[in-house]
Amino acid sequence: MRIPKVCPEAKQWWTQFHELYNSSLHYLHGLYSQLDNPNCNIEIKMRAYFTRQLQPCLAAFRRTCAENAPGFHSSLRRAQVNRLSNQEKLVEQDTYEIRSYYSSLAYTLGLLAVRIQGFRYECQTCSQNTFATPDTLWQLLNEVFITYEYVMNDALMCNEPNHSSIMVTNNLFTFTCHTLCRTLIFESFDIQIVSEETAFAIQNEIIQCRMGNSSPREPKVFPSAALIAMKPTSGVKRNNATANQKGTGGNTAHKKSDVNSQEFVTIPPTFSDNSNAWQTTYPHLLCTTRQKDAVLLDSRAGTTGKRPLFYFYIRAKTWSPTGNYIHVRTLSLPFTISTRRNQDCQVQRMNSSYTATCFWMYGTCGINGLLLNWNEKPLTWSQFKHLTRRYFMVNGEVIRTMEESDYALLQDKMHCEQCGDDSTELEDEENHEGCISFKNILCSHLRFDTDTVQMRFSVWRGILEVLQIFQDPKAAVKVLWEHYLMHGFLDTQAVVNLLMPRHNCMVIRLTYILGGSVCVSYRNLCGEIIHLEPLELKKLQAKSILEYISDIAETAKIDYLLTYNLEYMPVSSVIEKYFPVDDVKRVRGVASNITDKGPLNHVTHVKFTPLRVAVVACRDQTPRPSPRPSESHDLPTSSSSVHAPSECVFTAPNLPQRYHQNQNHDPLMSMMMMTSSSSSTSSPTNTTPTMMTPGPMDQSFEMQLEALMKQYGKTPHDVCEIVYSAARPNNNLNQQQQHHHQSHHHPSLIPPTTTSIRSPTLGPPSSQDRSFEDLMDDLTNNGDYSSNLDFSHTNHFLRV
């Protein structure tokens, strides 16, 4: 005998069965020796053997299987959950143990059946003993066959769903159901969708059938929770007016997905060469309209956000050795059904609750035989981090997972007044760690408010938004994440601490702003830390993060990227390695006969340089202070008026004109505009600083200072020293004399006379440019603008 693996609960029943099994074989062997005795009434002894030996032996065998089968099915279900959670396929090694178990059961019953069949043949062919009747012999054999029906009533495995635990209505999916015992030969498979409560009743029915209290020949009928349909494999469109094949009337619905929707569908069996057994598979099944809304209502959904769970209920019709039909039954993994109401404004919130329900169900993994029990018990903070790390790796398809520092933002933001009541159930004296309930992860207590947008979202919604960015190949965020070029979830102060001791570098990080996005921060040459507008999925689908990095580095003059390991990575090498120039950006040669004048057969060749949409930072509009009353008469009133001389260097700008001319406030564009202004106002006879009219050439103090620092190669520290020394009147004369003395002894310190980049509003034009210290002296002597030297951390927006 092949002794199977026996659990502790079934060990005593297996021992009892083994003893009765040996004694029954010995008793049956004794009946063989008495067939030659014509005076022995073998009929009476066969009936005694049936009641005293065979029935107790098979009853102990059924009890052993009833106690032993749940352990094997739970192990198989745990393997299925792990495979689905990691989005892996079920391998043969996962089902080897349970297949061996059912094979040993069939082999053990086969030994008894063969002995009784042999004794039946001897009785029918023996001419000396005529007492044995065929009915009694068949009763012995039929008892073994009925036991075979009982123990094989759950020898099925349904590995659905095997890709996603969320079924979308009218979406096609492939259905496969495998057998766990090769001796079963099927006629058909019935697939039905049942609710979570109905699945509990079905499992109890299967348990009763194992015990022998219910017959597998006529199983109970259970109600359906959702309709299911089959799409023809030929691909031909279905006729909407085709009558229902079940005889329940015609279906004239206009939607093709509603045609042939039934409470259950019947699929024929197919033979698998790999497993050498009969199974079923169908490539085009779909869940359609809900059958009854009352069935889908869950009492826990209103308070916690839990969505209804469903199971596939499979009834396989197979042949029994008795000559009758029996039904082998099983349940699939749990899943949810999401509707296609795309016009609903709450679609994203609903999708969050669907995925969160499956995450909590498969994460807690409360296995109960074929079912997964919903666990209301809160998770500890360590369990929550472990499960979300796995979920992030699997669904984001990345190897690098989130670190402990990435959870610092969420640690104190998991509870609020509305959802904080359920999280204290698990806390005790030994466990001081915070607990996370299912209600906590779906509560919309995170916020993001602007002057135009007021957004409320949950922790789980934020995780899903970030995962959508990783799942989109156009965003290219996964490339930076896997190569540790991007930081995780950092707060604003941590970013400032990273950038303060560093210059000329940028930091890319994940953030929960706008639900989930990517944020870029950098420190410019002036020492100002700039947080650019977060890039959500919609923007990253139009331009990848690598294109944004290239544009930001070009316009802001940033050369390095600060990696996760706090190493400097040149932006040019990042773009060259991960964002090669494609065919769209190269110069194209065009041959045409319409570009130039001439006959029709005259073709000219022209090279066109392609254009691309660039991204620049839109600087904040710095408000100018009002002019002092003593200087109000010195300011021009219009662009055509004649200006009187004045000591005021800066003039009131015309903001609307400047905004349209240099809307992005790009420093490079500012210097180009100042160069153009310098060349156009180089005549010393008719141009003075006070005669310049307000217009597009005026720049803010910050922009002029940034242009000067780039022109003279000054750092923010140098500027601060110059401003400090210029603010002391006693040192101004000494500083000018010292500078004059250095100019005579060191001619190389004199600024070049051919420099064309200068600001027309800083002083009178001359044959050579003034020194940086003199220009700063003019700036600091003006009291109206000395307060604008502020290197505060401000947010800037991106503009295409």
Side-chain angles (χ1 to χ4, degrees), residues 396-428:
E397 298 179 356
V398 294
I399 300 177
R400 173 191 169 189
T401 184
M402 291 190 290
E403 304 293 340
E404 289 290 334
S405 58
D406 297 327
Y407 289 92
L409 284 176
L410 294 178
Q411 187 169 6
D412 299 328
K413 298 180 176 62
M414 299 298 299
H415 307 89
C416 67
E417 296 180 357
Q418 287 76 19
C419 66
D421 299 335
D422 300 335
S423 60
T424 58
E425 297 179 1
L426 195 64
E427 295 180 359
D428 49 21

Side-chain angles (χ1 to χ4, degrees), residues 76-254:
L76 176 61
R77 188 64 85 199
R78 186 172 290 105
Q80 289 177 305
V81 169
N82 292 333
R83 293 294 183 181
L84 180 60
S85 301
N86 298 323
Q87 291 187 357
E88 300 174 350
K89 291 184 178 180
L90 199 69
V91 296
E92 186 178 356
Q93 189 65 28
D94 297 329
T95 60
Y96 175 78
E97 191 175 65
I98 192 170
R99 289 179 186 272
S100 300
Y101 167 72
Y102 278 101
S103 296
S104 65
L105 298 184
Y107 179 78
T108 302
L109 293 176
L111 293 178
L112 276 175
V114 165
R115 291 295 183 95
I116 296 175
Q117 191 82 307
F119 180 74
R120 179 187 179 189
Y121 174 78
E122 292 292 338
C123 291
Q124 291 177 349
T125 57
C126 181
S127 58
Q128 298 180 2
N129 198 320
T130 59
F131 292 98
T133 61
D135 293 339
T136 305
L137 293 172
W138 172 249
Q139 187 179 13
L140 297 176
L141 194 60
N142 192 57
E143 187 71 16
V144 180
F145 292 160
I146 292 176
T147 303
Y148 174 81
E149 295 176 357
Y150 285 139
V151 300
M152 291 295 168
N153 88 100
D154 58 351
L156 275 180
M157 179 194 67
C158 180
N159 195 36
E160 300 293 338
N162 56 4
H163 295 293
S164 175
S165 54
I166 300 179
M167 296 288 183
V168 183
T169 55
N170 302 336
N171 274 14
L172 297 177
F173 61 91
T174 302
F175 186 88
T176 304
C177 187
H178 304 271
T179 181
L180 297 177
C181 185
R182 294 188 177 95
T183 60
L184 296 174
I185 302 176
F186 302 96
E187 183 192 32
S188 62
F189 290 81
D190 295 337
I191 293 94
Q192 183 181 0
I193 299 177
V194 297
S195 63
E196 187 177 8
E197 291 76 9
T198 307
F200 277 96
I202 292 174
Q203 176 166 266
N204 292 332
E205 176 71 14
I206 294 176
I207 294 175
Q208 293 297 322
C209 191
R210 289 178 191 153
M211 299 289 294
N213 300 328
S214 177
S215 175
R217 298 179 182 179
E218 296 180 358
K220 293 182 180 180
V221 179
F222 296 95
S224 299
L227 301 183
I228 190 171
M230 298 172 58
K231 184 178 180 180
T233 56
S234 60
V236 180
K237 291 184 179 180
R238 283 177 263 171
N239 186 4
N240 290 338
T242 302
N244 196 313
Q245 299 297 326
K246 294 288 183 177
T248 58
N251 191 339
T252 58
H254 293 287

